[in-house]
């Protein structure tokens, strides 16, 4: 509500104000009379009042010559009193509505054009910037922050051996040749054990990878989004043996060397680290500045000296751990850079002479090891991104988890092509990077499910044999024991690791 005084002649209000005021005949009543004339109470919006107020002020200031700021000292370029020359701003004095005193305001514009008055009350208050979110820095973790803790009940046995020793007091042979096993695998039916760490779930956040110890399978390695890698006993008490801490973000993948003495971890903190399985020491660190999505050791070298890493910048890098560092980083010895999207899987095939990679660009490429030119390129309009892979132990084939809720099979060998007769369906995996596994005899295919199931198919007929409700959350990690006929371990988004038989 505002009181607008009525004026005549030269002091008449602006035309815009006159349109808003309804004139009425003067009455003899004293209502509405003020010392300067007659005033009538009307309703006017705040925006209209400010617009009229500016019109009045601009008319009053039209006949006044405004002053410019001083030109300044030509010897100074920056700071107070610096040279402004003809670009000096105008000064104007107006009455502050709060204090009633005259204040100076800046006016932008040039001498020839129309100037725009900028008032303090009309200025837009800048929105305060939010603080940086925790965990967004990519600072490299030093040696003092890379720790490993033994958390088992007994570190050495009566002969002074650690958990690296393969147990021989079991009813299953863990050190014999695979050719003499003659396994006939079956799908598991019941839950045997749930792994716990200090009375809680195996991990605080979602599982990302599960790997059994090579050949024997007496140890289980788990990685999760909480940035931790943990080693578990697969037999006896099935307890937590050791924790490896050294990543600041989620660990996306882990992989044992062929002899199991070391393992490699990759994380969203853009670091790839080699750990000693027995002592927990971080042996070396690698980074290319990009985020690794998958890491695989070269299987032909038992002790593990070279590995491949699929990166977020569309490259597959080959790194030799024996080469000295070039400054702070160890440069890759080879780069495979033909993909057009982040690399998801790396799978060795054909006696480890070749490897197959898939990417978010919905394509599959096959490479000769050490040659950065693809020997096979498969990309069809109906293809979807393939996010996880597994090799068939008996047949020359690679199984790939496709994002269209299917598992595709590609034959390897002289001709790398899709086996259209084998297509595993019936589960849901869209939107998740769900792992898959193949039984040691190659007869059963296992996969997780976004609905919390574990699904099992027959390799020959591609029919689903069984489905187990394993969790309330999506089951994203599955691993089949390399020496057992029906032992499967699963991991879900809640951080739970379960052992099935």
């Amino acid at each position: 509500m505002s009181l607008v005084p009525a004026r005549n002649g030269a002091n008449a209000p602006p035309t815009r104000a006159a349109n808003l005021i309804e004139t009425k005949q003067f009455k003899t009543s004293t209502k509405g009379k003020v010392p300067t004339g007659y005033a009538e109470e009307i309703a006017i919006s705040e925006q209209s009042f400010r617009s009229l107020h500016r019109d009045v002020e601009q008319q009053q200031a039209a006949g006044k010559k405004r002053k410019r700021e001083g030109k300044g000292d030509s010897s100074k370029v920056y700071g107070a009193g610096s040279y402004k020359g003809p670009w000096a701003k105008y000064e104007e004095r107006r009455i502050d509505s709060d204090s009633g005193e005259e204040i100076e305001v800046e006016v932008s514009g040039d001498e020839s054009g129309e100037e725009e008055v900028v008032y303090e009350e009309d200025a837009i208050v800048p929105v305060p910037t939010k603080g940086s979110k925790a965990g967004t820095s990519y600072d490299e973790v030093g040696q003092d922050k890379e720790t490993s803790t033994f958390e088992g009940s007994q570190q050495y046995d009566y002969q002074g051996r650690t958990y690296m020793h393969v147990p021989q007091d079991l009813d299953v042979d863990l050190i014999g040749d695979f050719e003499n096993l003659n396994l006939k695998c079956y799908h598991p039916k019941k839950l045997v054990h749930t792994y716990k760490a200090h009375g809680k779930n195996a991990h605080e956040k979602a599982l990302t990878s599960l790997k059994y110890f090579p050949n024997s399978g007496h140890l289980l390695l788990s990685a999760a989004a909480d940035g931790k890698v943990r080693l578990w006993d697969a037999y006896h008490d099935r307890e937590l043996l050791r924790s490896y801490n050294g990543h600041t973000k989620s660990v996306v993948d882990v992989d044992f060397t062929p002899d199991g003495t070391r393992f490699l971890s990759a994380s969203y903190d853009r670091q790839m680290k080699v750990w000693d399985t027995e002592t927990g020491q971080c042996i070396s660190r690698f980074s290319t500045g990009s985020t690794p999505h998958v890491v695989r050791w070269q299987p032909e070298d038992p002790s593990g000296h070279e590995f491949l890493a699929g990166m977020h910048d569309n490259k597959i890098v080959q790194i030799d751990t024996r080469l000295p560092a070039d400054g702070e980083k160890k440069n890759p010895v080879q780069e495979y850079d033909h993909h057009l999207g982040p690399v998801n899987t790396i799978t060795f095939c054909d006696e480890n002479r070749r490897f197959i990679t898939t990417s978010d660009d919905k394509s599959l490429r096959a490479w000769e090891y050490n040659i950065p030119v693809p020997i096979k390129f498969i990309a069809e309009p109906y293809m979807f991104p393939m996010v996880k892979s597994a090799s068939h132990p008996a047949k020359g084939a690679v199984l790939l988890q496709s994002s269209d809720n299917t598992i595709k099979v590609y034959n390897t060998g002289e001709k790398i092509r899709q086996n259209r007769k084998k297509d595993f369906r019936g589960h849901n995996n869209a939107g998740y990077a769900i792992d898959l596994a193949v039984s040691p005899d190659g007869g059963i295919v296992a996969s997780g499910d976004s609905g919390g199931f574990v699904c099992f198919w027959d390799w020959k007929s591609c029919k689903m044999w069984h489905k187990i409700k394993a969790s309330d959350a999506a089951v994203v990690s599955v691993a089949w024991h390399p020496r057992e006929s029906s032992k499967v371990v699963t991991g879900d988004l809640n951080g739970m690791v379960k052992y099935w038989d």
Side-chain angles (χ1 to χ4, degrees):
M1 304 293 288
S2 303
L3 294 178
V4 181
R7 295 183 293 272
N8 298 323
N11 295 327
T15 306
R16 296 172 60 184
N19 296 333
L20 298 175
I21 302 175
E22 182 182 357
T23 58
K24 293 184 178 181
Q25 296 294 330
F26 281 61
K27 298 180 181 180
T28 56
S29 174
T30 59
K31 182 180 179 181
K33 290 184 178 181
V34 293
T36 57
Y38 181 83
E40 184 177 357
E41 186 175 345
I42 63 171
I44 185 172
S45 65
E46 183 71 16
Q47 182 180 3
S48 300
F49 177 79
R50 286 188 178 275
S51 179
L52 296 173
H53 189 243
R54 291 172 191 164
D55 291 344
V56 173
E57 287 189 339
Q58 289 180 0
Q59 290 178 4
Q60 293 177 353
K64 296 181 180 180
K65 185 177 181 180
R66 291 171 293 174
K67 296 181 180 180
R68 281 184 180 270
E69 295 180 353
K71 293 185 177 181
D73 188 0
S74 59
S75 61
K76 293 184 179 180
V77 180
Y78 301 104
S82 59
Y83 181 71
K84 299 179 181 179
W87 301 280
K89 296 180 180 180
Y90 286 100
E91 293 181 356
E92 183 180 350
R93 305 185 68 85
R94 62 184 289 267
I95 298 177
D96 187 9
S97 58
D98 296 331
S99 61
E101 299 178 355
E102 289 188 351
I103 59 174
E104 292 184 357
V105 295
E106 295 182 355
V107 182
S108 59
D110 52 13
E111 296 181 353
S112 59
E114 182 180 359
E115 294 83 7
E116 180 183 358
V117 182
V118 181
Y119 299 110
E120 290 180 349
E121 60 187 17
D122 300 328
I124 299 176
V125 180
V127 179
T129 58
K130 296 182 180 180
S132 60
K133 296 182 179 179
T136 56
S137 60
Y138 290 94
D139 297 335
E140 185 175 352
V141 178
Q143 296 182 8
D144 55 340
K145 296 183 180 179
E146 292 166 347
T147 60
S148 179
T149 307
F150 178 78
E151 303 189 27
S153 58
Q154 185 178 359
Q155 188 170 2
Y156 302 97
D157 61 3
Y158 69 99
Q159 291 185 350
R161 298 172 299 190
T162 63
Y163 51 75
M164 296 294 292
H165 173 70
V166 180
Q168 301 179 10
D169 56 344
L170 305 171
D171 56 353
V172 58
D173 184 12
L174 299 181
I175 58 176
D177 295 334
F178 281 102
E179 291 78 8
N180 301 328
L181 289 179
N182 295 324
L183 282 178
K184 175 60 178 176
C185 294
Y186 305 91
H187 59 79
K189 297 181 180 179
K190 62 179 180 179
L191 177 64
V192 176
H193 180 73
T194 301
Y195 288 91
K196 296 288 185 180
H198 311 294
K200 300 180 181 179
N201 292 344
H203 286 272
E204 298 176 1
K205 295 184 180 180
L207 264 293
T208 55
S209 181
L210 288 172
K211 293 292 173 63
Y212 271 108
F213 194 86
N215 299 325
S216 63
H218 70 287
L219 299 175
L220 176 66
L221 191 67
S222 65
D226 56 5
K228 298 179 181 179
V229 181
R230 286 176 171 169
L231 189 68
W232 308 83
D233 187 6
Y235 293 98
H236 301 108
D237 296 333
R238 300 188 180 94
E239 61 180 350
L240 174 62
L241 296 177
R242 185 175 287 276
S243 296
Y244 307 86
N245 304 318
H247 289 290
T248 59
K249 293 183 181 296
S250 170
V251 180
V252 294
D253 196 18
V254 290
D255 190 41
F256 275 113
T257 56
D259 60 1
T261 57
R262 297 186 292 172
F263 70 89
L264 182 66
S265 64
S267 171
Y268 277 114
D269 61 4
R270 303 177 183 176
Q271 297 291 322
M272 295 171 284
K273 300 187 178 184
V274 180
W275 303 81
D276 188 287
T277 308
E278 183 175 6
T279 63
Q281 178 186 2
C282 183
I283 301 173
S284 54
R285 307 159 196 83
F286 307 94
S287 178
T288 63
S290 180
T291 303
H293 287 183
V294 56
V295 286
R296 290 292 180 269
W297 288 103
Q298 214 289 333
E300 287 298 311
D301 190 357
S303 58
H305 293 303
E306 290 186 357
F307 67 88
L308 297 176
M311 312 302 291
H312 186 75
D313 59 357
N314 313 342
K315 296 180 181 179
I316 302 117
V317 295
Q318 177 181 333
I319 297 178
D320 193 336
T321 60
R322 297 166 293 187
L323 295 180
D326 182 11
E328 296 181 355
K329 294 184 179 180
K330 292 187 178 181
N331 296 326
V333 296
Q334 192 65 268
E335 286 187 354
Y336 310 82
D337 58 352
H338 283 66
H339 275 293
L340 303 178
V343 180
N344 294 326
T345 67
I346 299 175
T347 312
F348 281 91
C349 60
D350 296 340
E351 298 179 353
N352 303 322
R353 295 182 294 107
R354 300 173 180 173
F355 62 94
I356 294 175
T357 61
T358 61
S359 169
D360 281 349
D361 60 5
K362 305 178 183 179
S363 69
L364 179 145
R365 286 173 169 85
W367 316 75
E368 291 278 358
Y369 191 71
N370 273 326
I371 301 177
V373 179
I375 60 174
K376 185 69 174 181
F377 169 65
I378 301 176
E380 300 292 344
Y382 54 80
M383 290 178 62
F384 284 76
M386 291 174 280
V387 294
K388 291 291 183 179
S389 65
S391 297
H392 196 279
K395 306 292 183 179
V398 174
L399 291 83
L400 296 167
Q401 186 82 265
S402 180
S403 296
D404 60 345
N405 300 329
T406 61
I407 297 176
K408 306 294 184 183
V409 179
Y410 285 83
N411 294 331
T412 59
E414 295 299 328
K415 293 184 178 180
I416 300 175
R417 56 187 176 184
Q418 182 181 357
N419 188 346
R420 300 184 183 276
K421 295 182 180 180
K422 292 194 178 296
D423 201 10
F424 301 93
R425 299 175 178 270
H427 67 305
N428 294 319
N429 63 355
Y432 295 90
I434 291 180
D435 208 351
L436 71 159
V438 186
S439 61
D441 65 347
I444 301 177
V445 177
S447 172
D449 182 88
S450 61
F453 293 94
V454 185
C455 304
F456 300 92
W457 293 268
D458 179 29
W459 166 258
K460 291 184 178 180
S461 63
C462 297
K463 293 182 179 180
M464 183 180 291
W465 270 5
H466 194 54
K467 181 185 284 190
I468 300 176
K469 181 65 174 178
S471 174
D472 295 333
V475 177
V476 293
S477 298
V478 178
W480 203 298
H481 196 285
R483 295 273 178 169
E484 297 278 3
S485 60
S486 59
K487 300 292 194 302
V488 176
V489 64
T490 61
D492 59 19
L493 292 181
N494 293 331
M496 299 182 66
V497 179
K498 296 182 179 180
Y499 188 57
W500 303 83
D501 187 6

